[in-house]
Amino acid sequence: MGRIKTENNSSRKEIILKKSAELFKEKGYKAASMRELAEIVGVEAASLYNHIRSKSELLHLICFNVATHYSAFMDEVEAEKNNSLYKIEKLIRFLIDGMVENFEEVYVCDREWKYLTEPYLSNFQSQRRTFRKRFASIIEEGIRKKEIKKIDATTAVLVILHAISGIESWHRSKQKFDGKELQENMITILVGGLKK
Amino acid sequence: MGRIKTENNSSRKEIILKKSAELFKEKGYKAASMRELAEIVGVEAASLYNHIRSKSELLHLICFNVATHYSAFMDEVEAEKNNSLYKIEKLIRFLIDGMVENFEEVYVCDREWKYLTEPYLSNFQSQRRTFRKRFASIIEEGIRKKEIKKIDATTAVLVILHAISGIESWHRSKQKFDGKELQENMITILVGGLKK
DNA sequence: CCTACCGATCGGTAGG
DNA sequence: CCTACCGATCGGTAGG
């Protein structure tokens, strides 16, 4: 009695969360089983449920962690008094860093969010839409100020976001993966493609 | 006896194939069930197996149709005597057209191929790698001839391919979807990002 | 954290 | 093309 288990429990949960992101990324949410996850964590399947409520809870924790992280960074960028191209470059660098550092979580958030259940699904979609609109506004500002070519801002946002989320392909083929070089190349192509 | 059923059968199979692409796109391969597919087609689940061998056969038919189509177009482009930027623009237009016209199949091919079983999985990955290498070679040629900025060609290919495969997001929000305008915007950003 | 187990659903087959 | 059904596997719970 009276064992201090809070700390232990929360770190256990974090391990499960981390491992689930890896598993969901590798197999896909639907194809990944809780029995597989349990084996990776090193317990029986039933024991997982002492730490988490359900499989779907894992998915929504992953997705909302990422979404919150993105939203907070957008707050920062919007508050700055820099020109649009600078803000866009900063966003692109942030997104690439996130993809490289928290690869599994971001990947799962990008590709598996459709398996979220309500009300999380609607909430997530709304946050996503908001992020994209804020991004598009920055591009539109740049167009008005003649920093950026006259293009459809929504299209530009989707090109950028999907180009970055495609970084998964690099991870698969691990050969000489250099995050810094990747970033410079992508900035050259993407920012170069917008600049007037 | 002696009913002519070949023609009828093959068109039935095509219907199943088409509907399966729609279902796999909407739910994901693993989450889509054969019972759902049967209901959409208008038969009992068991009856599907008079036309197809298995669920996985549907996936590999979809993926290899797309892969073959892409490979054939690459043959054409390589045979031309145009400069690199022209070839790249042509490839981008082709890929966008494919995404718009055969949306479900291309989407499934892009996002669900990992559920292919051997030996199809290895074969598919190999075709994919080849396509990307051929694309990268065209970019490298452009860099040598100073038409294109000095960037990593592999990175450029992945940026282009993922930007295009992201077109799914447009389809979701069906509002005023104009394929032509989309194409021009993407050419501006992507080709503009490569051009020296 | 484990043993034992549940109801649901899956892809697919037998047989007509 | 259908009825009837199979073995496997799923997410999750009861009870200790």
Side-chain angles (χ1 to χ4, degrees), chain A residues 166-178:
Chain A
I167 291 178
E168 51 114 351
S169 302
W170 277 273
H171 268 262
R172 266 179 223 275
S173 65
K174 264 195 183 169
Q175 53 190 13
K176 61 136 195 142
F177 179 75
D178 181 341

Side-chain angles (χ1 to χ4, degrees), chain A:
Chain A
M1 70 193 90
R3 270 179 303 154
I4 299 170
K5 50 191 306 208
T6 318
E7 196 179 323
N8 209 303
N9 265 359
S10 78
S11 82
R12 202 62 163 157
K13 182 164 184 177
E14 273 159 36
I15 290 168
I16 293 171
L17 196 58
K18 182 69 191 168
K19 294 293 184 188
S20 75
E22 291 170 20
L23 188 64
F24 293 167
K25 184 240 133 196
E26 200 174 293
K27 303 240 172 177
Y29 176 74
K30 281 286 176 184
S33 81
M34 296 304 274
R35 283 161 174 81
E36 269 178 292
L37 177 59
E39 198 180 0
I40 292 167
V41 173
V43 296
E44 289 301 314
S47 305
L48 292 173
Y49 294 91
N50 290 307
H51 303 281
I52 58 159
R53 247 180 287 268
S54 64
K55 185 184 183 184
S56 68
E57 190 199 26
L58 290 170
L59 182 62
H60 89 243
L61 285 174
I62 293 167
C63 292
F64 282 84
N65 275 347
V66 175
T68 304
H69 190 214
Y70 278 25
S71 166
F73 192 80
M74 185 59 92
D75 291 343
E76 271 186 50
V77 171
E78 281 182 345
E80 289 179 8
K81 288 202 194 72
N82 286 301
N83 62 36
S84 298
L85 276 173
Y86 181 89
K87 284 183 187 170
I88 290 163
E89 187 172 324
K90 194 158 174 178
L91 277 164
I92 292 175
R93 288 189 192 279
F94 166 78
L95 292 168
I96 295 174
D97 280 339
M99 197 73 196
V100 172
E101 282 160 30
N102 302 99
F103 176 51
E104 287 85 6
E105 288 81 359
V106 176
Y107 182 90
V108 169
C109 176
D110 274 354
R111 318 283 269 235
E112 308 290 325
W113 61 266
K114 67 177 162 189
Y115 299 111
L116 287 167
T117 51
E118 295 292 357
Y120 303 104
L121 178 60
S122 295
N123 188 326
F124 180 83
Q125 286 175 306
S126 157
Q127 283 193 242
R128 194 180 208 230
R129 218 159 25 234
T130 301
F131 182 84
R132 289 177 177 189
K133 275 184 188 160
R134 294 169 82 184
F135 204 146
S137 292
I138 294 174
I139 292 177
E140 273 157 8
E141 189 201 319
I143 296 172
R144 275 197 308 279
K145 294 191 178 167
K146 322 259 188 213
E147 297 169 29
I148 292 176
K149 291 172 192 163
K150 275 191 86 172
I151 45 167
D152 179 59
T154 308
T155 304
V157 169
L158 289 171
V159 165
I160 291 169
L161 293 182
H162 285 104
I164 292 168
S165 81
I167 291 178
E168 51 114 351
S169 302
W170 277 273
H171 268 262
R172 266 179 223 275
S173 65
K174 264 195 183 169
Q175 53 190 13
K176 61 136 195 142
F177 179 75
D178 181 341
K180 208 67 204 156
E181 191 192 321
L182 172 66
Q183 233 178 47
E184 298 314 321
N185 273 297
M186 292 191 69
I187 292 282
T188 303
I189 298 168
L190 294 173
V191 177
L194 300 179
K195 204 182 300 187
K196 206 160 187 175

Side-chain angles (χ1 to χ4, degrees), chain B residues 30-47:
Chain B
K30 282 284 176 182
S33 82
M34 296 305 275
R35 282 160 175 82
E36 270 178 292
L37 177 59
E39 197 181 0
I40 291 167
V41 174
V43 296
E44 289 300 315
S47 304

Side-chain angles (χ1 to χ4, degrees), chain B residues 31-189:
Chain B
S33 82
M34 296 305 275
R35 282 160 175 82
E36 270 178 292
L37 177 59
E39 197 181 0
I40 291 167
V41 174
V43 296
E44 289 300 315
S47 304
L48 292 173
Y49 294 90
N50 290 307
H51 302 282
I52 58 159
R53 247 182 287 269
S54 64
K55 184 184 184 184
S56 68
E57 189 200 25
L58 290 170
L59 182 62
H60 89 243
L61 286 174
I62 293 166
C63 291
F64 282 85
N65 276 347
V66 175
T68 304
H69 190 214
Y70 278 25
S71 166
F73 192 80
M74 186 59 91
D75 291 344
E76 272 185 48
V77 170
E78 280 182 346
E80 289 177 8
K81 287 201 194 73
N82 287 301
N83 62 34
S84 299
L85 275 174
Y86 181 89
K87 287 181 185 170
I88 290 164
E89 187 172 324
K90 194 157 175 179
L91 278 165
I92 292 175
R93 288 189 193 279
F94 165 78
L95 293 168
I96 294 175
D97 281 340
M99 197 72 197
V100 172
E101 282 160 29
N102 303 100
F103 176 51
E104 287 85 7
E105 288 81 356
V106 176
Y107 182 90
V108 169
C109 176
D110 273 353
R111 317 281 270 234
E112 307 292 323
W113 63 264
K114 69 177 160 188
Y115 299 112
L116 287 167
T117 51
E118 295 293 357
Y120 304 104
L121 179 60
S122 295
N123 188 327
F124 180 84
Q125 285 175 305
S126 157
Q127 284 191 241
R128 194 181 209 229
R129 218 159 24 233
T130 301
F131 182 83
R132 289 175 177 191
K133 275 184 188 159
R134 293 169 82 184
F135 204 146
S137 292
I138 295 174
I139 292 177
E140 272 158 9
E141 189 200 321
I143 296 173
R144 274 198 307 278
K145 295 190 177 166
K146 321 260 189 214
E147 298 169 30
I148 292 176
K149 290 173 193 163
K150 275 191 83 169
I151 46 168
D152 180 60
T154 307
T155 303
V157 169
L158 290 170
V159 165
I160 291 168
L161 294 181
H162 286 104
I164 293 169
S165 80
I167 292 178
E168 50 115 350
S169 302
W170 277 272
H171 268 261
R172 267 179 222 275
S173 66
K174 263 195 182 168
Q175 50 189 16
K176 63 134 197 145
F177 179 74
D178 181 342
K180 207 68 205 156
E181 192 192 320
L182 172 66
Q183 234 178 47
E184 297 314 321
N185 272 298
M186 291 191 69
I187 292 284
T188 303
I189 299 169

